[in-house]
Amino acid sequence: MISIKNLNKFYGSSKVLNDISIDIKAGEIFAIVGHSGAGKSTLLRCMNGLEEYSSGSLKVNSKEIKELGKEQLRSFRKNIGMIFQHFSLIQRKNVYENVALPMQLWGYSKDEIDKKVKELLSLVGLKSKLNSYPNQLSGGQKQRVAIARALTLEPQVLLSDEATSALDPNTTTSILNLLKKINKKLNITIVLVTHEMDVVKQIAQKALLLEHGNIIGFDNTEDLFLKPDEKMKEFLGEVEVVPKKGVNIKLYFPKKNAHKSFITTMARELDMDFNIVWGKLEEVNSHIIGNMVINVKDEEEQSVIEYIKKHDIVWEVL
Ligand SMILES: Nc1ncnc2c1ncn2[C@@H]1O[C@H](COP(=O)(O)OP(=O)(O)OP(=O)(O)O)[C@@H](O)[C@H]1O
């Protein structure tokens, strides 16, 4: 659906995107993650032609964006909805009028507009608010209006630039659930930019980690969190404090066996006591994944490793 190859972007002499290559599949929920200034919004804006790229290729539905003329770009953008952190609603228009606006600009009939706006307001749970004005709505409600407005022209792709950053955690979850529902129901590809790892965990199937315009991680979300590499750990701010004595073994539990009592069974079968240094289970993309560090005596290392190898567990000696 979106294919990016060796993309580079400069602002003047400063390079803000460096050799980016990714593929985003149709129907996927894809997150672009990174600290402030990493280049996330720039990359997102390149995807709908709001920003020009300096070199490389960016194709949406096999169309190279930089080769599109003015008119082609206008109809191309019809196929891409966008939502923002601060909602971008028009204050003097009510909810109905805000949502109707893109269809009016494209010259749809009153009946078509009325049908679509009511259908979308019902989808986002705001049918009772169609006469309200933005200043009478909560942040979450405003974002729901913005989502409805972004869907009026029936786009195949929805781009979200920090759409939940101004919302509290509960409202964030409800907006993310709405985005999941839209993704499933309308089969829309969603690309979202965020600096919040919790957002990535809750919604994304794939994630791209950016740092100073460079890709420092790109994988299925579960794999990124299950076995984070050094860069990812640094990004997550994880510090692993482990005992100096003995051998520290880190175990990664993928979704299918995160719940199994692997450690206690191993302890019983090998007739050994382990020191559990730390461990955690977390929900990523609706799956439970986890990891745990155990400390074993030097002389027990081999038998523990042989046991782990016989099971479907990813592991490493720290
Ligand atoms: N129009 C512009 N002109 C010059 N430099 C720009 C422009 N827009 C962005 N930049 C620079 O490009 C870099 C990437 O900016 P971008 O907004 O893409 O980052 P970001 O990861 O989205 O950050 P944030 O989360 O703070 O929005 C930054 O160093 C920024 O200062």
Side-chain angles (χ1 to χ4, degrees):
M1 167 115 245
I2 301 176
S3 172
I4 302 178
K5 286 206 176 69
N6 309 112
L7 191 89
N8 295 296
K9 162 86 185 163
F10 288 86
Y11 281 120
S13 59
S14 91
K15 199 172 198 182
V16 291
L17 291 175
N18 181 31
D19 201 24
I20 305 293
S21 296
I22 48 166
D23 276 310
I24 302 175
K25 294 197 184 85
E28 206 160 62
I29 303 186
F30 188 99
I32 301 171
V33 201
H35 295 305
S36 183
K40 309 180 294 292
S41 299
T42 304
L43 181 57
L44 197 74
R45 289 160 61 83
C46 284
M47 289 183 199
N48 66 356
L50 275 176
E51 202 72 73
E52 283 179 8
Y53 40 100
S54 314
S55 63
S57 163
L58 197 165
K59 290 183 181 166
V60 179
N61 278 339
S62 311
K63 279 191 197 130
E64 185 70 47
I65 308 300
K66 67 177 161 198
E67 285 168 6
L68 299 177
K70 219 173 165 189
E71 257 324 292
Q72 287 168 311
L73 197 58
R74 190 171 120 86
S75 28
F76 161 76
R77 286 214 189 105
K78 199 178 168 196
N79 197 20
I80 307 210
M82 191 152 180
I83 52 173
F84 308 87
Q85 180 174 2
H86 296 298
F87 326 119
S88 301
L89 300 179
I90 298 177
Q91 298 301 319
R92 62 192 158 75
K93 289 191 184 285
N94 67 23
V95 166
Y96 184 99
E97 292 160 347
N98 263 286
V99 178
L101 199 64
M103 290 184 88
Q104 282 165 352
L105 293 175
W106 277 90
Y108 285 81
S109 73
K110 269 196 165 164
D111 285 350
E112 283 172 308
I113 295 176
D114 192 61
K115 185 166 175 272
K116 193 75 190 171
V117 170
K118 286 182 177 155
E119 182 188 305
L120 285 171
L121 284 176
S122 155
L123 177 75
V124 302
L126 278 187
K127 215 168 172 190
S128 61
K129 298 276 181 192
L130 79 186
N131 292 317
S132 303
Y133 283 82
N135 64 6
Q136 298 170 314
L137 302 175
S138 69
Q141 287 169 335
K142 284 182 203 165
Q143 198 55 284
R144 284 170 189 269
V145 177
I147 291 171
R149 184 184 55 187
L151 298 176
T152 44
L153 302 174
E154 301 183 350
Q156 285 179 296
V157 182
L158 179 66
L159 304 180
S160 161
D161 195 353
E162 300 278 10
T164 56
S165 300
L167 306 174
D168 64 59
N170 285 341
T171 313
T172 293
T173 300
S174 77
I175 292 294
L176 295 178
N177 286 338
L178 174 63
L179 292 178
K180 279 192 220 171
K181 179 168 128 185
I182 287 164
N183 165 260
K184 275 225 168 75
K185 201 166 171 178
L186 309 178
N187 196 29
I188 289 186
T189 308
I190 298 181
V191 185
L192 55 99
V193 156
T194 181
H195 65 275
E196 296 169 301
M197 276 299 168
D198 272 345
V199 169
V200 181
K201 286 180 196 167
Q202 282 187 60
I203 191 169
Q205 291 146 3
K206 251 195 181 156
L208 165 76
L209 238 78
L210 277 185
E211 190 182 74
H212 306 307
N214 293 294
I215 295 184
I216 56 165
F218 174 38
D219 213 333
N220 294 322
T221 322
E222 287 148 57
D223 293 328
L224 269 181
F225 285 97
L226 181 65
K227 200 173 175 204
D229 62 13
E230 287 311 310
K231 283 279 184 192
M232 177 78 174
K233 277 183 203 160
E234 202 182 305
F235 188 84
L236 293 170
E238 278 186 3
V239 185
E240 286 170 355
V241 181
V242 290
K244 292 203 170 59
K245 272 187 162 182
V247 182
N248 296 298
I249 302 173
K250 187 166 184 181
L251 308 166
Y252 300 89
F253 302 101
K255 59 191 173 200
K256 57 181 182 295
N257 52 17
H259 284 307
K260 285 190 191 162
S261 51
F262 177 77
I263 297 292
T264 46
T265 312
M266 177 163 76
R268 200 170 50 242
E269 289 185 12
L270 296 182
D271 193 22
M272 284 176 194
D273 287 326
F274 306 110
N275 181 11
I276 295 176
V277 179
W278 57 260
K280 66 173 178 196
L281 281 178
E282 57 186 349
E283 196 172 335
V284 173
N285 189 20
S286 304
H287 298 297
I288 305 292
I289 62 169
N291 52 51
M292 178 175 278
V293 177
I294 57 171
N295 181 271
V296 302
K297 293 182 193 129
D298 292 319
E299 58 274 24
E300 292 171 342
E301 179 183 356
Q302 272 323 308
S303 41
V304 169
I305 287 176
E306 271 165 35
Y307 186 92
I308 296 169
K309 279 183 178 168
K310 283 190 221 142
H311 295 75
D312 185 16
I313 304 279
V314 182
W315 61 279
E316 68 180 321
V317 173
L318 297 179

